[in-house]
Amino acid sequence: DARVTQTPRHKVTEMGQEVTMRCQPILGHNTVFWYRQTMMQGLELLAYFRNRAPLDDSGMPKDRFSAEMPDATLATLKIQPSEPRDSAVYFCASGPRAGTTLGYEQFFGPGTRLTVL
Amino acid sequence: GEDVEQSLFLSVREGDSSVINCTYTDSSSTYLYWYKQEPGAGLQLLTYIFSNMDMKQDQRLTVLLNKKDKHLSLRIADTQTGDSAIYFCAETFGNEKLTFGTGTRLTIIP
């Protein structure tokens, strides 16, 4: 049963600390997305990759956030330094190559709930 | 701009039909989707409709698309307690990037 995995599921940290969230996309998917979900802002796209290359990171605060794909099986989202306003649930999603399935379906991971004190 | 709007809340009695509405502003969207998010979980695709279709039915789910009014709806027949969730509509314009709506929280009244 192929699924997107994310670690950690929960993270509590103090302001100023570095936070790294990891995602393993579904094997064979060539697009990876990072979203942030909060009550106030809803679901926001932070960045996405196609074939490991960043295509759009316009939703990401550049001064403290960075997203990378060291290889096809791992995507990372890093916040340094973290701030209380970064508290949210961060979702990773992956998608198959366009045209192979339902248009552009995205498969979501379970999320990382981040709390910055 | 790319704004997809939904009502925030909907309450429905168990056994009744639920209708969740969505309006979008970009008529060039190619696929429109409905995702479901259960508590503590990520979003899961429920159903989708291609922009040249008016209606799609899938078991208890019926999707209606009115391109003229840029209106999308999801009808859930015989609503059950397991249907309690947040429902998101989403659109794409021909690439992998989806624009999600604000989400509608569906509450089932016993």
Side-chain angles (χ1 to χ4, degrees):
Chain A
D1 183 24
R3 60 184 65 188
V4 175
T5 58
Q6 290 185 246
T7 57
R9 291 296 312 277
H10 302 273
K11 176 73 176 178
V12 180
T13 191
E14 292 187 345
M15 183 173 63
Q17 296 298 304
E18 178 179 297
V19 174
T20 299
M21 290 168 272
R22 294 177 173 80
C23 166
Q24 182 172 9
I26 293 173
L27 190 64
H29 283 189
N30 74 330
T31 53
V32 174
F33 305 81
W34 282 105
Y35 293 91
R36 175 170 65 184
Q37 186 177 37
T38 61
M39 290 291 291
M40 295 301 295
Q41 300 296 327
L43 194 65
E44 304 172 275
L45 176 66
L46 296 175
Y48 86 98
F49 296 76
R50 185 195 297 151
N51 296 324
R52 296 175 55 201
L55 278 196
D56 185 350
D57 61 0
S58 58
M60 206 164 65
K62 302 291 191 305
D63 56 338
R64 299 183 299 109
F65 285 59
S66 61
E68 295 179 345
M69 280 201 74
D71 60 61
T73 65
L74 177 65
T76 62
L77 179 66
K78 191 173 294 188
I79 308 174
Q80 167 63 12
S82 58
E83 296 180 3
R85 60 180 167 151
D86 301 329
S87 297
V89 181
Y90 290 82
F91 289 104
C92 173
S94 70
R97 191 178 303 275
T100 58
T101 184
L102 313 168
Y104 303 98
E105 180 179 1
Q106 293 182 19
F107 295 78
F108 280 72
T112 294
R113 182 174 294 275
L114 174 65
T115 302
V116 184
L117 303 174
Chain B
E2 302 170 358
D3 285 335
V4 181
E5 296 184 350
Q6 302 177 237
S7 298
L8 290 180
F9 303 99
L10 177 66
S11 295
V12 173
R13 291 203 175 276
E14 189 175 1
D16 288 352
S17 292
S18 305
V19 179
I20 303 170
N21 295 301
C22 169
T23 58
Y24 57 97
T25 59
D26 198 314
S27 58
S28 61
S29 57
T30 54
Y31 283 90
L32 294 131
Y33 301 84
W34 283 104
Y35 279 79
K36 177 183 181 182
Q37 184 181 27
E38 296 183 349
L43 281 67
Q44 181 179 19
L45 180 68
L46 268 184
T47 187
Y48 70 99
I49 189 167
F50 189 51
S51 58
N52 68 353
M53 299 167 65
D54 298 323
M55 185 183 85
K56 180 178 179 182
Q57 188 149 4
D58 184 1
Q59 298 182 342
R60 292 191 298 123
L61 306 178
T62 303
V63 178
L64 295 178
L65 176 61
N66 181 331
K67 287 197 72 174
K68 175 176 170 291
D69 295 335
K70 300 188 184 69
H71 184 263
L72 180 74
S73 68
L74 173 70
R75 178 177 180 270
I76 305 172
D78 187 24
T79 309
Q80 303 298 308
T81 54
D83 296 324
S84 292
I86 303 175
Y87 291 82
F88 292 87
C89 63
E91 59 180 343
T92 182
F93 314 108
N95 60 31
E96 306 97 334
K97 187 175 175 180
L98 297 185
T99 300
F100 285 90
T102 51
T104 299
R105 183 180 296 274
L106 176 63
T107 301
I108 311 306
I109 305 167

